[in-house]
Amino acid sequence: MTSEEDFARALRASAAHAPEPPTELFALAAERRGRTRVRRRRAAGASALALVAAAGCALALLPDRSPARPAPAATPVGQTFMSDTLSSLMPADGRVTDLSGTSPDDLQPGHTPMAWLDYDDGNGPARLLLTIDRLPTPLGDGAAALQCPDTLARPTATCELATRPDGSRLVTTATAPRWDGDDRSWTVTFADPDGRMVSATEIASGRPGHPAREQPPLTRERLLAVATSDAWRPAFTVLPASTVPPAAPVGGPAMLTALHTALPAGATFDPGTGTQETPGRVHGTVSLGGHTSQLVVSVEHGWQRGFPVEPATRFRNFGFDGSFSQTPDGTLRFVKEVPVPGPDGTKDTQGTERIAGALLPDGTMVTAKIWTYGPDHQVTAFPPALSSEQLVALVTVPSWAHA
């Protein structure tokens, strides 16, 4: 497997359990940017690019972790800062390889800092991905980035939400393998009361007959130590805080009502037997013309308002490599098809997801993802129940602004 394919696989695995479609879309966009840069740098005779995330939080390292590598000297916040900082936070008794990072620049003002590396504790490597971002404050229960993953989109073994005494928020998750040899992932997302957020994910790769390791190289406590390290504080100088508080989240009943209004004629939606408790998100199965597929829709009012980077700029980053258009009323929209690897990682078992997004004139962000499951939660290549045009029409319905 080439380095860019491995890079893509890791990002897709990270995106698969992202708490909201915008986070997933950003990871998918980062994947494509990364692969483009790899090709460019190879042509120029330079080294290959890489990935993942950087972070910052006000808490010090937890006291029970093993000695860290020497911290990098003070440098401008860029790719080197991101990769060196992440490497410095790894236990010294392990092996670090394939480290790199990304940072915002004039060509990508809506891009958040990222870093990635492979870490091997002697029992096999795992990919460590780290992203940082800013959330509007005050933090609330409706913050989309601080929700559990959607269990329809990615089977989840565990997910815990916690509010700490200082007001910080913590989300810890572990995915459940879908088939023999499926990857496993463990994520810690930490948000400081001032809105600084870092998400760190470990991904252990498996293959048929060779399941991924059941425990990650970094324990939950060590992964939390990485996310809460003061070493990330300089990275937030390139991510100024929002000046506007978050809008109230959309409740489950309002989401269902709006979705039924937005569906094309003849389509039916079944939310299932479980309750729809996640603010601003609804999932279930949609049927039309004899086809049934899985559908997840998310809505956020006032998306990215109050941040220095205009929402439209970041929206274009999320939809990178998609088909963009704009309606006469100013609604921005995109749709894209995303390949999803199957059990053996080849095109023979590869499935396809469709993702559409819309940024309405009032600042409401709507995203929808549709796919069709086969056995063992394997995404199929069958055309989903809604076409690309119908999915775009669904997310651009003006009534979402009033949900």
Side-chain angles (χ1 to χ4, degrees):
M1 181 177 293
T2 65
S3 60
E4 53 264 58
E5 287 171 339
D6 193 36
F7 168 80
R9 186 184 189 194
L11 269 176
R12 286 196 187 98
S14 178
H17 54 78
E20 54 163 340
T23 306
E24 173 174 333
L25 295 175
F26 181 79
L28 293 169
E31 170 198 324
R32 285 156 178 76
R33 283 194 296 264
R35 298 182 73 170
T36 298
R37 289 181 180 181
V38 168
R39 291 192 294 268
R40 288 175 179 171
R41 293 192 181 194
R42 280 181 173 177
S47 59
L49 168 82
L51 95 5
V52 127
C57 288
L59 300 184
L61 293 175
L62 297 181
D64 59 344
R65 64 190 303 275
S66 60
R69 302 170 189 273
T75 58
V77 177
Q79 298 179 17
T80 300
F81 171 86
M82 296 303 303
S83 59
D84 286 356
T85 300
L86 184 59
S87 178
S88 75
L89 296 174
M90 296 298 99
D93 52 356
R95 182 168 178 262
V96 172
T97 57
D98 293 336
L99 69 159
S100 191
T102 66
S103 184
D105 55 39
D106 292 339
L107 298 178
Q108 299 173 356
H111 177 48
T112 57
M114 308 172 73
W116 73 281
L117 54 77
D118 285 344
Y119 178 75
D120 192 338
D121 62 351
N123 297 307
R127 175 65 45 91
L128 181 62
L129 317 174
L130 191 132
T131 59
I132 72 170
D133 207 345
R134 284 272 191 183
L135 299 179
T137 55
L139 299 178
D141 294 335
L146 300 179
Q147 303 295 335
C148 287
D150 187 273
T151 54
L152 181 66
R154 173 70 201 212
T156 304
T158 61
C159 180
E160 299 178 6
L161 306 178
T163 300
R164 302 174 127 196
D166 65 352
S168 60
R169 302 294 180 108
L170 182 65
V171 184
T172 57
T173 63
T175 60
R178 297 164 293 182
W179 51 70
D180 174 40
D182 191 19
D183 294 349
R184 294 176 182 265
S185 61
W186 302 263
T187 299
V188 168
T189 298
F190 178 85
D192 194 83
D194 67 3
R196 289 174 293 156
M197 184 185 75
V198 57
S199 186
T201 298
E202 291 179 87
I203 302 169
S205 297
R207 63 184 189 277
H210 296 80
R213 55 186 296 172
E214 295 187 3
Q215 299 299 326
L218 300 182
T219 65
R220 175 184 179 277
E221 290 73 20
R222 294 187 189 279
L223 199 60
L224 178 62
V226 171
T228 58
S229 173
D230 264 344
W232 296 116
R233 186 179 288 271
F236 285 91
T237 60
V238 298
L239 294 175
S242 171
T243 58
V244 179
V250 183
M255 286 288 300
L256 285 170
T257 299
L259 177 57
H260 283 294
T261 301
L263 287 171
T268 60
F269 181 77
D270 181 4
T273 57
T275 57
Q276 301 279 351
E277 297 181 345
T278 303
R281 189 173 73 202
V282 65
H283 73 216
T285 56
V286 59
S287 300
L288 181 64
H291 297 278
T292 298
S293 301
Q294 285 65 42
L295 177 69
V296 177
V297 180
S298 293
V299 174
E300 185 176 348
H301 295 313
W303 180 75
Q304 290 293 303
R305 66 180 183 181
F307 287 98
V309 177
E310 292 186 358
T313 298
R314 200 159 194 208
F315 179 78
R316 291 187 178 91
N317 272 336
F318 287 143
F320 182 85
D321 209 23
S323 176
F324 276 88
S325 59
Q326 185 170 356
T327 63
D329 69 354
T331 297
L332 295 175
R333 57 191 185 179
F334 72 84
V335 64
K336 58 170 47 175
E337 291 195 353
V338 180
V340 181
D344 60 4
T346 69
K347 289 187 177 181
D348 293 336
T349 60
Q350 180 174 281
T352 303
E353 296 174 341
R354 283 179 181 157
I355 301 175
L359 185 60
L360 305 184
D362 76 327
T364 297
M365 169 76 154
V366 187
T367 57
K369 180 173 73 171
I370 190 170
W371 70 98
T372 303
Y373 271 142
D376 298 323
H377 295 90
Q378 181 179 338
V379 177
T380 72
F382 300 136
L386 302 183
S387 67
S388 294
E389 292 76 14
Q390 290 170 323
L391 198 64
V392 169
L394 185 151
V395 297
T396 54
V397 171
S399 58
W400 286 117
H402 309 292

